[in-house]
Amino acid sequence: MVEMLDRPEVGSLELAPKNPLPYWRKIKATRSYIDGFQELFDAGGPITRIAFGPKRLLPEAVLIATPQGARDLLGRTDAIADRGQVKSMVEMRALMGGNLLNLPHERWLPRRRALQPMFTKRHVTRYAGHMAGAAQSVVDGWRDGAFFDLDSECRKLTLRALGRSVLGLDLDERADEIGWALRASLAWVADRAARPVNAPRWVPTKGQREARRANATLHRLAAEILREVRADANRDAPLVRALIEAVDEETHRPLTDDEICDELVLFMLAGHDTTSTTLCYALWSLGHDRDLQEQVRAEVAALGDRALTPDDVSDLALTVRVLHEALRLCPPAAGTVRSPTCDLVVDGYRLEAKSIAVVSFYALHRDPTLWQDPLRFDPDRFLPERSKGRSRWQYLPFGGGPRSCIGDHFAMLEATLALATVVRASEIESLDMDFPLETPFTVVAARPIRARVLGVRAPASVRLTAGV
């Protein structure tokens, strides 16, 4: 429910408690959305306020890690706590164009209406044509006893699935180029968002030139994909065709080619980086729990020696729970930022207009008052009987409210088919005891994740039916 702007109780509420850490430790902590924010929460509680100086110069930040706080801020349907005017979104929009992630409310709403039908549970199955095959083709390159970087292999898998399933293009030869372009573009956005003062965007600094070159690479690829799909009526590219056909039901306006390309670039980011890290974390966890890995393998093996399809997901309950647990401990985004245009009530505190409000999914998912033994990888915590009574706002791997991730069903479908295929076809041992994370923009592995193949066991019938 939207708060009334003139409710007298809003102004009478106290501000969130001020964080007690020393000034320089707070400055250092705010640079890390993972360990640094966790330090701030440990010192100041689940809702904590950080002042960096006079408000007229630097707005206060409020970190939020309670289900009610997340609901109060993210559950709004109006523009008062919009994401599109947050500095990181403004910088992303200026460099990479307007998309569902960064558009301000009045431009986001018609875009969301136009694209929402493409991502319902019923429709995303159309995009799953090559997912299992892409996973199988990656495992086919593994050999018994081989050592490899699990993160690199998962990135290869998800990019291959993305290209063949929804974009109608083989992206294997462009993997390094796409990876560089995404990292360079998003690092520039994150750096400008973190600095209180920036040079004008027209100043041709080295970083600005690099970011523009990276963004141009991504948009050239998107334009090439769109052009080839328009020219070939038989090309298997369901997502691109859906974007071409998308129309806002209220305005009856289709997307322009530039808008389609902006969304394709976003989909390369969301469908590559985030899904690959989730899959990597799930496999790394299974690589440390051979019994659990065998249980997943037995679940998948019961479906027979054939390529998996979206119809099989209903029979992969444990596989799905493994992914839910991976998303809890390693959410695709560490959190989300808002800057309200008026004072709001957030879990009983007054959130001031123009402050920077950050809901930390990472901290929510690891809060011992919300989760039993929160650092333990336990997929069975998502069994129906153990999930009963759990607030839907304490588990937000794809965000919450109207601006939650539109591709959540697609991401889960892709990850489920990929994880099931990899585990059925191979046995993995994880060699690193920890999974270091960093947030250049999304949550990613901070270094290679070493693993060893103990066995490759894909039957020939699966390889033949995978179509790769």
Side-chain angles (χ1 to χ4, degrees), residues 343-370:
D343 288 7
L344 300 177
V345 179
V346 173
D347 202 358
Y349 294 107
R350 175 162 53 93
L351 179 64
E352 291 187 304
K354 299 182 180 180
S355 59
I356 299 171
V358 183
V359 177
S360 174
F361 306 145
Y362 184 86
L364 261 175
H365 292 179
R366 292 168 177 250
D367 186 342
T369 67
L370 300 174

Side-chain angles (χ1 to χ4, degrees), residues 352-402:
E352 291 187 304
K354 299 182 180 180
S355 59
I356 299 171
V358 183
V359 177
S360 174
F361 306 145
Y362 184 86
L364 261 175
H365 292 179
R366 292 168 177 250
D367 186 342
T369 67
L370 300 174
W371 304 90
Q372 183 179 3
D373 197 4
L375 300 186
R376 178 169 171 259
F377 191 87
D378 177 15
D380 283 348
R381 71 174 77 244
F382 289 98
L383 285 166
E385 58 269 26
R386 290 181 61 182
S387 300
K388 194 175 297 182
R390 180 181 298 150
S391 168
R392 63 183 292 266
W393 292 94
Q394 75 182 64
Y395 179 64
L396 299 170
F398 299 105

Side-chain angles (χ1 to χ4, degrees), residues 29 38 40 67 70-71 74 87 109 133 151 177 208 214 216 219 310 327 380 382 399 418 436 447 454 461:
Q38 191 61 59
L40 290 165
R71 179 181 181 180
L74 305 183
K87 190 175 181 182
L109 191 57
D151 181 55
E177 179 185 36
Q208 180 73 275
H219 277 80
L327 286 163
D380 283 348
F382 289 98
R447 63 170 184 257
L454 298 181
S461 59

Side-chain angles (χ1 to χ4, degrees), residues 135-178:
Q136 185 63 56
S137 69
V138 170
V139 177
D140 285 347
W142 296 352
R143 296 293 178 265
D144 290 359
F147 295 84
F148 64 97
D149 173 14
L150 197 55
D151 181 55
S152 176
E153 292 297 290
C154 287
R155 288 178 180 277
K156 181 194 303 181
L157 187 163
T158 53
L159 190 62
R160 187 172 295 175
L162 178 67
R164 296 177 184 180
S165 291
V166 299
L167 300 180
L169 196 68
D170 191 330
L171 299 177
D172 282 11
E173 293 184 359
R174 304 190 183 192
D176 291 341
E177 179 185 36
I178 293 170

